Amino acid sequence: MGVIEKVKLGLGKASDWMNGLKDKFTASINKVQGYVGSAFEVAKNGSTFTGINYDSIDKIRGSIRTYVTKIQNELANINSDLSPDKALKGDVAAAAKAYVKAVTDVAEAYVSSLLAYSDKMYEYGEAFRKNEATLTQNVNDEATALSSSAEKYTEKY
Amino acid sequence: MDFQGASYGVDIMGINQYISDLNTAILTKVSNVIRNTSEVETEVKAGWVGQSADQFLLNLNKAADTMCDTLKELEKTFEAEIKGIKDQMMDFDDTLVDAE
């Protein structure tokens, strides 16, 4: 076998490794997506916010947002400061890029699940506030009606 | 030898340094941030009581642990793969030398 054929064979093998590596990363990403999805899934039906102080929802959501931002900032630092091109070339560099992308994807799956949960918390709070407003209005209406009745009411017996 | 201009090849020292830097960034910095759920816990405990709140915090911390385990898993996969590629490329170089 000549040198050119051997180079082609070597490049082909590197490409096979790359596909294998991406498959392994994809398996890990899928596993995490499934896990975090189900970890916060119960909240999707809005049934897990029992006992929450509705006035605290904004603060809790703010703390979740801060937590998420810190994770995203660390990921951004990796993508900007640790470019594989500084140390690696060719397929090895591509493998490193695939790795960093896998880490980013896994973290984003986690972060997205938390943000979706946070939105459900907001919707739950809004639904409560709306119901509370309706209840208050109903009570006021009743009170007005009673008051009006009281003014007009005359003893029958 | 300067590998910055090379289109194909491996700077072994560079790879080792790169992996070390990635370990620090991913397994230490990112993992630490993920594990640090204290601020969320503080706000939840201040404004949410009962089983649902406990369950959320349990889910959050379990998910954070799973995340960190997965990051370790990814890093091990990457490191093993890079080692395999390095070994293979060195064998490949030897073969080329033999061919010449």
Side-chain angles (χ1 to χ4, degrees), chain A residues 78-150:
Chain A
I78 291 172
N79 281 297
S80 66
D81 299 343
L82 286 169
S83 167
D85 293 331
K86 289 176 184 172
L88 312 170
K89 294 292 177 187
D91 287 333
V92 186
K97 284 177 187 170
Y99 168 52
V100 172
K101 186 180 183 309
V103 168
T104 305
D105 287 350
V106 160
E108 283 298 336
Y110 176 60
V111 156
S112 293
S113 294
L114 273 171
L115 292 177
Y117 183 88
S118 176
D119 273 354
K120 289 295 171 191
M121 192 182 286
Y122 172 80
E123 288 169 8
Y124 189 77
E126 285 302 295
F128 172 82
R129 287 187 185 100
K130 204 174 283 180
N131 284 339
E132 189 182 44
T134 305
L135 278 172
T136 303
Q137 188 57 51
N138 288 345
V139 168
N140 286 341
D141 289 348
E142 287 291 326
T144 304
L146 284 170
S147 175
S148 300
S149 299

Side-chain angles (χ1 to χ4, degrees), chain B residues 35-54:
Chain B
R35 278 192 204 283
N36 187 4
T37 58
S38 61
E39 194 174 336
V40 178
E41 283 186 41
T42 301
E43 292 300 340
V44 166
K45 284 174 181 171
W48 190 1
V49 292
Q51 203 174 349
S52 295
D54 294 343

